[in-house]
């Protein structure tokens, strides 16, 4: 930790502490040790076998450095370092004060379970406090798919789906924003930094390469009798189709919402299997699409978007279905009848 207390309970930053004085943990009041040297960030550490819970996790130098840098980035007058919230028995890395609001900022460099992440977030929320998770730069290379990103993804009208990082070696905030999922299940979108740079996070794959990749994946899954693929193939059989024969239009279903940990092309293929059972000129309603999505949901592992509200998830599924319909309209398969219904004018090929 970066801040401890004197015997008189006055807060002291590790960089200003005197080696010959005693300092104590603001949570458990155990005596702590000052650690400061030319090769480490100044900090206080509990002694071995400490029973302190809020300060029990050991912190890397990158974590300590990042906290100092973030405090400087947000502005000293706007930030409180490591405040202990006694009611919750929690301490955010920083408490950001802006426009009369208090926001807990957690700088996460090490792995953390979904359960522990939820517990911390819910604790702050129950206290009427927003929480923002900022990831260490070691996460930049680790997060490539929805599976890696699911517990960190947040949504806003301005940024779409986004994740925030802090880089320590060249201090700057990095925001991956307007994130979507490509046909193979990888994240794509934009990355911008607090220094003003913006770049494409991941270029889109071509339809040709996606088709080749997914056909190979399906072929191998069925050949080796992998349960997931066998179950999907059985679904297709029951609806007079084959997984290997998914219509060409499905390979164009990219830029999907991060709602499943898998390929949105396969999701679109199963939706289209149900669509193809309908005769031409049929009326397809919004309710039909919602029922189909619910029916095929058992074939996909849903992403754990724990940073989102129920309403945000409902809205996300609405956008997903709208994207699917838009694609079918562009291909001349559906024709809008009214806001929530369409006419099937041609079967997908």
């Amino acid at each position: 930790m970066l801040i401890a207390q004197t015997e008189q309970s006055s807060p002291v930053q590790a960089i200003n502490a005197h080696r010959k004085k005693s300092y104590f943990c603001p949570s458990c009041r155990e005596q702590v040790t000052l650690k400061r040297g030319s090769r480490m960030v100044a900090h206080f550490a509990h002694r071995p076998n400490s029973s302190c819970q809020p300060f029990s996790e050991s912190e890397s130098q990158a974590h300590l450095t990042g906290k100092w840098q973030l405090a400087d980035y947000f502005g000293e007058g706007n930030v409180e370092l490591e405040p202990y919230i006694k009611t919750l028995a929690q301490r955010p890395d920083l408490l950001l004060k802006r426009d009369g609001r208090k926001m807990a900022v957690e700088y996460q460099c090490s792995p953390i379970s979904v359960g522990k992440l939820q517990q911390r977030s819910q604790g702050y929320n129950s206290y009427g406090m927003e929480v923002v998770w900022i990831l260490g730069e070691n996460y930049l290379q680790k997060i490539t798919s929805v599976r890696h990103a699911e517990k960190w993804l947040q949504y806003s009208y301005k940024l779409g789906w986004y994740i925030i990082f802090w880089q320590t070696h060249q201090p700057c905030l990095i925001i991956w924003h307007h994130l979507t999922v490509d046909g193979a299940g990888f994240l794509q979108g934009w990355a911008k930094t607090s220094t003003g740079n913006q770049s494409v996070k991941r270029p889109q794959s071509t339809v040709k390469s996606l088709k080749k990749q997914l056909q190979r994946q399906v072929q191998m899954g069925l050949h080796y009798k992998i349960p997931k693929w066998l179950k999907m193939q059985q679904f297709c059989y029951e609806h007079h189709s084959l997984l290997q024969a998914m219509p060409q239009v499905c390979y164009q279903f990219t830029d999907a919402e991060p709602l499943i940990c898998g390929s949105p092309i396969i999701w679109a293929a199963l939706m289209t299997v149900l669509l193809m059972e309908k005769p031409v000129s049929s009326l397809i309603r919004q309710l039909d699409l919602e029922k189909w999505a619910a029916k095929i949901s058992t074939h996909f592992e849903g992403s754990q978007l724990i940073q989102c509200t129920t309403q945000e998830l409902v809205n996300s599924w609405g956008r997903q279905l709208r994207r699917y319909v838009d694609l079918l309209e562009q291909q001349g398969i559906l024709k809008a009848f009214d806001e929530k219904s369409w006419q099937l004018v041609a079967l997908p090929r």
Side-chain angles (χ1 to χ4, degrees):
M1 55 184 155
L2 300 175
I3 295 177
Q5 293 181 342
T6 64
E7 292 180 337
Q8 294 75 35
S9 298
S10 299
V12 176
Q13 292 186 359
I15 55 174
N16 300 323
H18 297 283
R19 293 190 181 279
K20 294 184 179 180
K21 290 188 177 181
S22 298
Y23 298 98
F24 303 86
C25 171
S27 171
C28 65
R29 293 299 297 172
E30 291 179 8
Q31 189 168 351
V32 292
T33 304
L34 173 64
K35 295 192 174 184
R36 187 170 60 205
S38 59
R39 295 186 179 183
M40 68 171 66
V41 177
H43 64 285
F44 297 100
H46 280 81
R47 294 176 177 180
N49 302 317
S50 168
S51 59
C52 183
Q53 290 299 317
F55 290 88
S56 61
E57 294 181 4
S58 59
E59 296 181 282
S60 66
Q61 291 295 299
H63 189 204
L64 294 166
T65 299
K67 285 196 289 187
W68 279 120
Q69 292 175 343
L70 281 166
D72 181 64
Y73 173 77
F74 288 122
E76 188 174 337
N78 301 317
V79 167
E80 185 179 349
L81 268 169
E82 301 178 341
Y84 179 59
I85 304 173
K86 190 173 182 179
T87 307
L88 302 176
Q90 289 181 225
R91 59 152 189 123
D93 289 322
L94 299 95
L95 185 62
L96 182 60
K97 304 170 186 177
R98 280 188 176 175
D99 303 323
R101 295 185 306 157
K102 292 183 177 180
M103 183 181 296
V105 177
E106 291 281 12
Y107 179 54
Q108 192 68 30
C109 293
S110 58
I112 183 172
S113 68
V114 170
K116 198 165 189 178
L117 183 63
Q118 279 183 307
Q119 183 182 25
R120 287 190 188 177
S121 293
Q122 288 170 357
Y124 295 128
N125 294 156
S126 69
Y127 198 65
M129 190 183 297
E130 295 178 60
V131 58
V132 174
W133 291 86
I134 300 178
L135 303 184
E137 59 192 304
N138 56 313
Y139 274 96
L140 284 166
Q141 302 303 320
K142 293 178 181 179
I143 296 178
T144 58
S145 67
V146 178
R147 166 60 67 225
H148 303 136
E150 56 181 344
K151 62 186 176 186
W152 306 115
L153 282 164
Q154 299 179 73
Y155 186 84
S156 78
Y157 179 77
K158 183 178 179 181
L159 297 171
W161 291 103
Y162 70 94
I163 306 175
I164 306 175
F165 304 85
W166 179 261
Q167 181 175 272
T168 55
H169 74 279
Q170 291 181 332
C172 70
L173 204 68
I174 301 172
I175 302 177
W176 288 359
H177 62 101
H178 292 99
L179 293 171
T180 58
V181 185
D182 72 6
F186 292 101
L187 289 177
Q188 60 187 12
W190 295 88
K192 73 176 177 180
T193 70
S194 54
T195 57
N197 295 325
Q198 176 138 304
S199 59
V200 176
K201 188 203 166 300
R202 178 185 173 90
Q204 288 191 5
S205 302
T206 64
V207 171
K208 185 177 179 180
S209 64
L210 279 172
K211 186 174 182 179
K212 184 177 181 181
Q213 180 182 345
L214 285 173
Q215 285 180 338
R216 176 68 174 168
Q217 196 173 352
V218 170
Q219 180 185 12
M220 297 303 289
L222 296 175
H223 176 76
Y224 288 105
K225 302 187 185 311
I226 295 174
K228 178 182 79 170
W229 295 106
L230 291 177
K231 188 178 176 183
M232 287 187 188
Q233 185 71 301
Q234 181 61 35
F235 175 87
C236 291
Y237 282 154
E238 291 170 0
H239 295 279
H240 318 291
S241 186
L242 288 173
L243 193 58
Q244 303 94 311
M246 70 178 81
Q248 183 71 20
V249 66
C250 299
Y251 292 102
Q252 298 179 47
F253 189 71
T254 57
D255 297 324
E257 300 279 322
L259 294 166
I260 59 170
C261 296
S263 166
I265 289 176
I266 302 296
W267 179 89
L270 297 195
M271 288 287 287
T272 306
V273 162
L274 296 175
L275 176 68
M276 292 172 68
E277 285 193 314
K278 300 290 183 180
V280 173
S281 298
S282 295
L283 189 66
I284 308 299
R285 301 166 300 161
Q286 177 76 20
L287 184 59
D288 294 323
L289 296 172
E290 292 170 0
K291 287 181 177 178
W292 295 351
K295 186 173 185 177
I296 68 171
S297 64
T298 57
H299 297 280
F300 301 94
E301 189 175 356
S303 54
Q304 294 182 292
L305 300 171
I306 61 173
Q307 305 289 345
C308 305
T309 65
T310 300
Q311 188 58 54
E312 284 171 340
L313 291 175
V314 169
N315 293 343
S316 184
W317 272 111
R319 291 191 300 270
Q320 176 89 327
L321 293 175
R322 183 72 247 185
R323 279 193 176 102
Y324 177 65
V325 167
D326 286 346
L327 175 61
L328 297 181
E329 284 188 286
Q330 290 165 13
Q331 298 297 314
I333 296 167
L334 292 181
K335 183 179 179 180
F337 184 77
D338 58 33
E339 190 177 340
K340 292 191 175 182
S341 60
W342 302 263
Q343 184 180 28
L344 179 63
V345 293
L347 291 177
R349 294 181 179 180

